[in-house]
Amino acid sequence: MNSALGIGMTSQRTRNRMIDRLRDKGIIDERVLAAMAIVPRHLFMDEAMAHRAYEDTALPIKHGQTISQPWVVAKMTEIVLQYQPKKILEIGTGSGYQAAILGQLVDAVFSVERIDNLTRTARRRFVKLGYRNVRTKTGDGFDGWANEAPYDLIIGTAAAEKIPESLLSQLKPSGVMLLPVGDSNSQNLIKVTKTFDGYESEILDAVMFVPFLQGTIRK
Ligand code: SAH
């Protein structure tokens, strides 16, 4: 049965073992670990994959996309919390898992996904799990979600070829954008800070994500 409680490989005990492993791998923010101990990752993927949900690995979801590796989600979330954001825009909803984790820790999460089918599946999960402060819509992430702007922070969960300057207008003054930038050979996690006359950027870490693509898919 695919319930939030889970059994066997999807049980709370298995989830707790994932938390122990994240700790071993250097995740120290207890707020992040607590959120990841609560959110049932096995419900953010197809049932056939659920028995692997608490392995520390990215797993395939539909449309050739992936649910990010737990360690990556934890690390990104740790960095996000350093800026104490209240309202976040996520680009690349995918399974909805990263958005759900953020939703445990900040006031509101708005997430944009280009593949409508993934958007609808993620939205069903948020409703079912009662994550009322997490919303998703289909769109090209590079257009952001203007109606809900401005955001304290924007997080990208796919790699952009270059810094998406178009999104700066949806950030509050001094707001931060955190996203992987690069191609399939080399990517860095970049922190972009909005300044009064533009932005400053800083390289945080080498990473590997699926690419951002242009345009939406509705089917
Ligand atoms: N945050 C997700 C990870 C998803 S992988 C999770 O926790 O599961 C990245 C996602 O970004 C994919 O679903 C992909 O379809 C989406 N994506 C790629 N380019 C995009 C764009 N231009 N706008 C919005 N979403 C995009």
Side-chain angles (χ1 to χ4, degrees), residues 10-104:
T10 61
S11 67
Q12 185 66 51
R13 273 181 63 190
T14 313
R15 192 142 73 232
N16 291 345
R17 279 202 292 275
M18 175 182 82
I19 303 303
D20 292 340
R21 278 196 303 276
L22 291 173
R23 244 192 213 104
D24 292 345
K25 291 182 181 177
I27 302 300
I28 53 174
D29 192 322
E30 290 298 331
R31 296 168 297 177
V32 175
L33 294 165
M36 293 184 69
I38 288 171
V39 174
R41 187 170 186 259
H42 65 281
L43 299 186
F44 288 82
M45 59 188 63
D46 293 340
E47 249 177 288
M49 277 288 164
H51 66 287
R52 300 190 56 192
Y54 299 105
E55 294 175 16
D56 190 19
T57 173
L59 291 169
I61 55 175
K62 290 201 169 65
H63 302 277
Q65 303 303 319
T66 54
I67 175 171
S68 304
Q69 178 191 351
W71 184 84
V72 170
V73 172
K75 197 67 208 167
M76 295 278 276
T77 308
E78 264 192 355
I79 297 171
V80 164
L81 290 188
Q82 288 173 11
Y83 304 101
Q84 298 175 299
K86 292 190 166 69
K87 190 175 177 185
I88 293 183
L89 172 68
E90 181 192 31
I91 313 296
T93 313
S95 68
Y97 181 67
Q98 171 77 74
I101 296 295
L102 291 169
Q104 298 284 315

Side-chain angles (χ1 to χ4, degrees):
M1 198 182 70
N2 205 357
S3 79
L5 245 47
I7 50 163
M9 293 308 281
T10 61
S11 67
Q12 185 66 51
R13 273 181 63 190
T14 313
R15 192 142 73 232
N16 291 345
R17 279 202 292 275
M18 175 182 82
I19 303 303
D20 292 340
R21 278 196 303 276
L22 291 173
R23 244 192 213 104
D24 292 345
K25 291 182 181 177
I27 302 300
I28 53 174
D29 192 322
E30 290 298 331
R31 296 168 297 177
V32 175
L33 294 165
M36 293 184 69
I38 288 171
V39 174
R41 187 170 186 259
H42 65 281
L43 299 186
F44 288 82
M45 59 188 63
D46 293 340
E47 249 177 288
M49 277 288 164
H51 66 287
R52 300 190 56 192
Y54 299 105
E55 294 175 16
D56 190 19
T57 173
L59 291 169
I61 55 175
K62 290 201 169 65
H63 302 277
Q65 303 303 319
T66 54
I67 175 171
S68 304
Q69 178 191 351
W71 184 84
V72 170
V73 172
K75 197 67 208 167
M76 295 278 276
T77 308
E78 264 192 355
I79 297 171
V80 164
L81 290 188
Q82 288 173 11
Y83 304 101
Q84 298 175 299
K86 292 190 166 69
K87 190 175 177 185
I88 293 183
L89 172 68
E90 181 192 31
I91 313 296
T93 313
S95 68
Y97 181 67
Q98 171 77 74
I101 296 295
L102 291 169
Q104 298 284 315
L105 298 161
V106 306
D107 291 350
V109 180
F110 296 86
S111 186
V112 182
E113 168 58 53
R114 68 186 280 270
I115 303 174
D116 190 46
N117 199 260
L118 295 179
T119 309
R120 283 185 279 121
T121 306
R123 184 181 297 133
R124 268 201 304 278
R125 291 170 178 148
F126 301 145
V127 170
K128 184 177 168 193
L129 293 164
Y131 299 159
R132 292 234 201 89
N133 62 341
V134 185
R135 285 170 54 194
T136 176
K137 73 161 188 173
T138 301
D140 188 328
F142 291 102
D143 299 332
W145 191 328
N147 288 347
E148 298 292 345
Y151 304 95
D152 300 302
L153 186 143
I154 298 176
I155 177 175
T157 62
E161 278 173 20
K162 54 186 187 53
I163 293 171
E165 296 180 14
S166 59
L167 289 173
L168 285 167
S169 63
Q170 297 187 21
L171 267 183
K172 286 183 191 166
S174 308
V176 167
M177 188 148 70
L178 196 66
L179 81 168
V181 177
D183 55 30
S184 56
N185 296 317
S186 145
Q187 296 171 11
N188 287 307
L189 187 60
I190 306 276
K191 173 195 152 191
V192 180
T193 310
K194 181 171 174 169
T195 59
F196 73 99
D197 59 354
Y199 67 88
E200 286 165 3
S201 66
E202 186 188 329
I203 295 178
L204 299 183
D205 236 327
V207 287
M208 204 36 85
F209 283 81
V210 295
F212 272 126
L213 300 168
Q214 297 270 296
T216 56
I217 298 180
R218 290 184 187 272
K219 60 182 172 199

